[in-house]
Amino acid sequence: MCVQRMHQNNVEFLCCYFPIALLAMISYPTETFYGSAVVLLGRGVTAMGYYSGAKKRVMGGWFHFGEWYTVYYAGKFAYNLIMG
């Protein structure tokens, strides 16, 4: 059950994260790569913890740092497009 729930959680998260990462990559490919690497490694750690018990899924919660890092660069890209 935990494996199926973690898989569904990844599907729901990554379908929203990948378009944001693609937008950020247009102007900031290196920074987005680093943020995405943190996200994917963190999601992997979260999954490994969740497989052994639902309460252990917080071990990979640090993936949010990479997520916000990528969202920042996507926002910066959008701001630069708007402001010219």
Side-chain angles (χ1 to χ4, degrees), residues 12-75:
E12 292 169 357
F13 173 78
L14 293 175
C15 75
C16 297
Y17 177 76
F18 283 149
I20 293 169
L22 287 173
L23 283 176
M25 259 184 226
I26 293 171
S27 287
Y28 306 100
T30 305
E31 294 87 349
T32 305
F33 168 77
Y34 293 137
S36 296
V38 169
V39 167
L40 294 177
L41 287 172
R43 296 298 292 185
V45 171
T46 301
M48 298 309 273
Y50 204 169
Y51 296 160
S52 60
K55 293 187 184 216
K56 294 183 181 177
R57 67 180 179 229
V58 297
M59 294 186 327
W62 45 267
F63 80 87
H64 290 293
F65 293 117
E67 174 189 0
W68 285 108
Y69 186 74
T70 305
V71 168
Y72 166 75
Y73 279 109

